[in-house]
Amino acid sequence: MIGNFDFDVIRRALPYLFFEGMRFTLTLTALAAFGGLVFGTLIALMRLSGYRLLGRVAGIYVDFMRSLPLVLVIFWFYFLVPYIGQWLTGASRPITVGAFASSLITFIMFEAAYFSEIMRAGIQSISRGQPAAANALGLTYSQTMRYVVLPQAFRNMLPVLLTQTIVLFQDTSLVYVLSITDFLGAASKVAQRDGRLVEMYLFAAVVYFVICSAASFLVRRLQARIAIVR
Amino acid sequence: MIEINHVNKWYGPSFQALKDCTTSVAKGEVVVVCGPSGSGKSTLIKCVNALEPIQGGDITLDGVKVNDPRTDLPKLRSRVGMVFQHFELFPHLRIVENLCLAQEKVLGRRHDDAVAKGMKLLDRVGLKDHAKKFPAELSGGQQQRVAIARALAMDPIAMLFDEPTSALDPEMISEVLDVMVDLAREGMTMMVVTHEMGFANKVADRVIFMDRGEIVEDAKKTDFFGQPRSDRAQKFLSKILQH
Amino acid sequence: MGTGTYLDLLLSGLVVTLKTSLLAWIIALISGCVIGVMRTLPSRTASWIGFGYVEFFRNMPLLVQLFLWFFVLPELLPKSAGLWLKQLPNAPFWTAAIGIGFFMSARVAVQLQAGISSLPRGQKQAATALGLTTMQTYRYVLLPMAFRIILPPLTSEFLNTIKNTAVAITIGLVELTGEARSMQEFSFQVFEAFTAATVLYLIVNFIVATAMRFLERYVAIPGYIAGK
């Protein structure tokens, strides 16, 4: 089998794999990470707000999302988003939502749960003495947060947030179950069409591996630098 | 019993932790090692049972060369007891199990014999009633006495103490020192890293003073306390005896 | 078809999910344990092998790893072995368990390494000073404590294993999510099917989390406060 490994299949498919597939994957990752961060912050703030009900609602949402397989959540949203759209816009029938929009919403809602937990842990990792010391100096609550707690918390959680983004990048491959042409979807389509499963899947694996290894190497370096500063 | 000849040790390429250290501990002798923090005294004592490797020189223990790759280190270590600054009892094992583990796994003693031996030693350090407890349920002083009993359970030919009272609250220091004094008076060969000069005065035969990885002074107890020869030892003594 | 049959289908999917995740978890624990220990050994070679292993299994999406095991591996083997693999009855099940098991083993290894490293250095020295060999030191002193410390993160890794079995629908494993999905295709009762599957996942989560909390309490050491 190694003997008739066909590099040419890969070479011919390159433009399709990267300009169609990888572009989709990277766009989805970037937008989902951004949206997840925004909603994740909101959820974390709700949980730490001190309002019982708000905290409880946010907590249930996070636990719920984290109990379900991402694949099931992808199916759920693919099925539900048209109805939610209908409800939001007041249309008479379920609206049609593109595969990209549907998966973007899915990943934002799903990642928000994970991001919020990272941020909550980051904020709680600051020792209680720190806000106490800031209060003793006469800083208000918002000043304490702004100048003392959040800068330290952000530094603690930045590497974890980035690692979670690498996980997100890998997880976007699961849109395969909706037959969407992300990077893996593109590789799979070529593989099926040309009957070249070995070449295409090995190539996809190498590409993912190189990107993720490089990214996690950078995260480790960042982590080391932060550790020295501290 | 313990021979240390021209020992050199580096951490990494640039930091020399031990510089040409030479000394010895005879059978039945009690030697106290003191010196400022970072002087290499803990490193030296950990080299004796090869917890730390050395890069130059020789260490022999009861005629066995420690830094010889052919030496059966586990067997050698099982013949030397060691007591640590932070006790290092095994937190998941009951007190009596802490005393039995190495007796059974290293010496191959039967469980009943190990328990009997362990209970005898616990009685000796005054902690027989605590045998079924876990380490975290005991005070620091009690834990350190258990640690001494654990080392003694192996019937060691010599005992190494690495700052055994430094991590203790002041009111617990004497209960540990009392056990050590008894041990010294029974003729146990002991090498003790400590700042407790009272202990040194009471039972030590010799005192070694270390600074920056070197053995600066190695003298009979009376000579050391009477008139230390080096400035550095004098300064050190005046600092710790001030209080 | 009546509702009874639907539920039967979902329950049989749940059984597949549980079987697959249990086998995967056993693989993950055993190889994760070996690799995690290797990463804490003083030997440079051992820790590099451990590092390479973890990087390999962590830096590819699970889906891609399953494709490699399922589609690529049989082609790379000698012809007869490859044929045997392809004709294996229940191939999706074995592939999923092995693929997910190795994927999770890297995560178990990382947790265990962190747990061992969090123990005071003196523990290893004390065991060594008593004459225990490296094997004995790990077996009787380091691992019992390390596993107690990492029990909470291990619980969530086990839950992740259960959730990850859903990825195996891509290689034809009909587990819980797969059953719900196929009911959608055949019966249009999407909402009911997905809701039932969701509820089943929540129940499994609850049971596992509760059981692990009991286990944590059972192995807790009197007087010992983690991180002290």
Side-chain angles (χ1 to χ4, degrees):
Chain A
M1 187 61 221
I2 303 275
N4 51 30
F5 193 91
D6 188 357
F7 284 102
D8 207 45
V9 162
I10 298 173
R11 197 186 53 73
R12 272 180 284 129
L14 282 180
Y16 176 64
L17 287 177
F18 283 94
F19 292 127
E20 289 263 330
M22 191 50 92
R23 200 168 74 182
F24 182 98
T25 297
L26 288 178
T27 319
L28 181 58
T29 305
L31 292 179
F34 178 73
L37 203 60
V38 171
F39 279 93
T41 312
L42 261 166
I43 294 169
L45 287 179
M46 280 168 75
R47 292 196 79 171
L48 295 169
S49 66
Y51 296 105
R52 264 277 181 73
L53 187 70
L54 221 53
R56 187 70 62 80
V57 170
I60 289 174
Y61 176 81
V62 170
D63 287 346
F64 183 73
M65 274 299 176
R66 302 209 313 164
S67 301
L68 298 180
L70 177 53
V71 177
L72 182 63
V73 178
I74 291 175
F75 286 148
W76 255 127
F77 275 92
Y78 189 64
F79 161 71
L80 278 184
V81 165
Y83 293 96
I84 297 172
Q86 176 193 19
W87 178 68
L88 283 178
T89 57
S92 57
R93 53 179 60 232
I95 57 168
T96 15
V97 178
F100 180 76
S102 166
S103 38
L104 180 59
I105 293 168
T106 309
F107 276 95
I108 288 178
M109 300 312 283
F110 190 74
E111 287 305 320
Y114 286 82
F115 278 127
S116 79
E117 279 299 275
I118 294 170
M119 305 180 74
R120 194 168 69 110
I123 291 171
Q124 286 178 335
S125 73
I126 307 302
S127 79
R128 279 166 191 275
Q130 289 289 314
N135 287 337
L137 287 170
L139 296 177
T140 64
Y141 173 79
S142 60
Q143 285 173 325
T144 302
M145 274 298 187
R146 164 85 183 73
Y147 296 110
V148 179
V149 175
L150 288 180
Q152 297 184 58
F154 188 68
R155 180 176 285 175
N156 288 351
M157 64 200 181
L158 187 61
V160 194
L161 284 175
L162 289 173
T163 304
Q164 180 63 28
T165 307
I166 300 175
V167 172
L168 165 65
F169 171 71
Q170 295 187 11
D171 279 350
T172 56
S173 65
L174 289 175
V175 297
Y176 176 90
V177 297
L178 299 179
S179 313
I180 290 174
T181 313
D182 72 321
F183 180 68
L184 183 63
S188 171
K189 275 171 191 161
V190 176
Q192 310 286 348
R193 186 194 65 199
D194 297 354
R196 288 290 177 182
L197 273 63
V198 174
E199 286 87 345
M200 295 316 294
Y201 287 147
L202 273 179
F203 180 66
V206 169
V207 170
Y208 273 112
F209 181 76
V210 168
I211 293 177
C212 295
S213 301
S216 56
F217 172 75
L218 291 176
V219 171
R220 268 199 302 276
R221 278 205 24 190
L222 177 78
Q223 209 163 9
R225 262 178 65 175
I226 290 174
I228 292 169
V229 175
R230 198 186 294 152
Chain B
M1 179 70 65
I2 304 170
E3 303 285 339
I4 299 171
N5 286 318
H6 302 290
V7 166
N8 281 297
K9 177 176 176 60
W10 282 268
Y11 283 118
S14 52
F15 180 70
Q16 188 166 7
L18 295 177
K19 293 175 195 158
D20 198 34
C21 293
T22 301
T23 187
S24 66
V25 183
K27 189 166 161 45
E29 201 177 19
V30 176
V31 172
V32 162
V33 185
C34 62
S37 61
S39 59
K41 52 195 192 308
S42 281
T43 307
L44 181 68
I45 203 172
K46 280 178 180 164
C47 289
V48 171
N49 61 352
L51 287 183
E52 296 280 356
I54 57 174
Q55 279 85 39
D58 281 316
I59 297 178
T60 41
L61 234 171
D62 194 28
V64 182
K65 200 168 147 195
V66 174
N67 53 317
D68 185 333
R70 284 165 302 184
T71 300
D72 181 356
L73 280 179
K75 194 177 163 201
L76 183 78
R77 287 170 178 142
S78 70
R79 301 175 62 206
V80 191
M82 185 159 199
V83 175
F84 294 82
Q85 183 177 359
H86 295 285
F87 334 134
E88 307 301 350
L89 297 181
F90 306 132
H92 61 296
L93 300 178
R94 291 174 195 279
I95 298 302
V96 63
E97 292 167 340
N98 259 281
L99 270 72
C100 290
L101 179 69
Q103 289 191 64
E104 291 172 35
K105 303 302 171 193
V106 179
L107 302 181
R109 286 186 186 149
R110 284 184 34 231
H111 180 69
D112 296 345
D113 298 343
V115 171
K117 174 107 194 165
M119 291 308 286
K120 217 172 82 191
L121 284 162
L122 280 179
D123 193 23
R124 177 185 167 161
V125 298
L127 292 169
K128 202 175 173 186
D129 297 341
H130 299 280
K132 291 281 179 219
K133 288 190 180 169
F134 285 90
E137 297 176 293
L138 267 52
S139 73
Q142 292 173 325
Q143 290 193 47
Q144 194 62 302
R145 277 144 67 198
V146 172
I148 295 173
R150 178 174 74 179
L152 290 176
M154 306 294 284
D155 293 321
I157 54 170
M159 288 281 286
L160 307 171
F161 292 84
D162 183 13
E163 305 208 29
T165 56
S166 309
L168 293 175
D169 292 333
E171 76 272 18
M172 294 173 183
I173 291 179
S174 64
E175 63 185 79
V176 173
L177 289 180
D178 287 347
V179 174
M180 291 168 61
V181 168
D182 285 348
L183 211 53
R185 294 208 166 126
E186 281 166 28
M188 174 61 79
T189 309
M190 291 164 70
M191 188 167 173
V192 185
V193 173
T194 186
H195 289 161
E196 294 295 334
M197 288 302 131
F199 171 79
N201 219 342
K202 214 185 253 173
V203 292
D205 296 298
R206 277 179 26 244
V207 179
I208 292 173
F209 173 74
M210 289 185 73
D211 192 19
R212 287 175 225 155
E214 287 172 288
I215 293 182
V216 178
E217 189 120 1
D218 184 346
K220 284 232 160 65
K221 173 179 68 184
T222 42
D223 296 344
F224 185 80
F225 286 115
Q227 187 63 49
R229 270 163 290 176
S230 66
D231 284 354
R232 282 191 270 181
Q234 270 174 18
K235 258 190 205 144
F236 176 75
L237 268 186
S238 70
K239 265 186 205 156
I240 62 176
L241 293 179
Q242 244 167 26
H243 308 289
Chain C
M1 277 202 271
T3 32
T5 350
Y6 282 136
L7 198 59
D8 286 347
L9 279 178
L10 283 173
L11 286 179
S12 75
L14 178 64
V15 170
V16 175
T17 291
L18 294 179
K19 267 192 196 163
T20 316
S21 33
L22 274 181
L23 183 55
W25 186 237
I26 291 168
I27 296 171
L29 273 186
I30 293 172
S31 39
C33 190
V34 172
I35 297 297
V37 166
M38 278 173 79
R39 291 199 65 178
T40 63
L41 291 174
S43 147
R44 272 273 171 81
T45 330
S47 77
W48 266 102
I49 293 173
F51 175 77
Y53 180 99
V54 168
E55 288 296 294
F56 183 82
F57 286 106
R58 274 218 304 193
N59 284 332
M60 270 182 264
L62 173 58
L63 180 52
V64 172
Q65 293 190 30
L66 288 185
F67 281 1
L68 291 185
W69 288 102
F70 195 70
F71 296 117
V72 177
L73 181 69
E75 305 294 335
L76 297 183
L77 291 173
K79 224 171 202 149
S80 56
L83 205 65
W84 176 80
L85 262 185
K86 280 191 215 170
Q87 290 168 345
L88 206 66
N90 233 345
F93 167 74
W94 297 109
T95 312
I98 291 170
I100 296 168
F102 279 105
F103 178 77
M104 294 308 299
S105 72
R107 278 142 218 271
V108 172
V110 171
Q111 298 290 359
L112 186 62
Q113 182 205 1
I116 295 172
S117 318
S118 77
L119 299 174
R121 248 166 49 107
Q123 287 283 300
K124 191 177 190 170
Q125 289 189 337
T128 312
L130 282 168
L132 296 174
T133 61
T134 305
M135 273 282 263
Q136 288 173 325
T137 301
Y138 274 91
R139 161 83 179 75
Y140 298 112
V141 176
L142 300 180
L143 289 180
M145 277 314 290
F147 270 111
R148 281 181 171 86
I149 291 170
I150 64 167
L151 208 49
L154 273 191
T155 303
S156 46
E157 295 300 0
F158 180 48
L159 292 172
N160 284 338
T161 308
I162 298 174
K163 287 185 278 172
N164 277 335
T165 52
V167 177
I169 67 172
T170 54
I171 54 169
L173 185 74
V174 192
E175 41 63 77
L176 185 49
T177 302
E179 287 287 5
R181 168 81 170 153
S182 64
M183 284 157 92
Q184 173 198 4
E185 274 164 10
F186 292 124
S187 67
F188 302 105
Q189 287 181 315
V190 194
F191 190 79
E192 289 84 343
F194 283 171
T195 306
T198 302
V199 170
L200 287 176
Y201 276 114
L202 292 180
I203 292 173
V204 170
N205 256 281
F206 178 77
I207 292 174
V208 171
T210 312
M212 291 302 280
R213 227 170 344 219
F214 272 107
L215 181 64
E216 269 169 51
R217 217 169 300 161
Y218 178 71
V219 299
I221 300 158
Y224 183 85
I225 303 154
K228 212 183 99 181

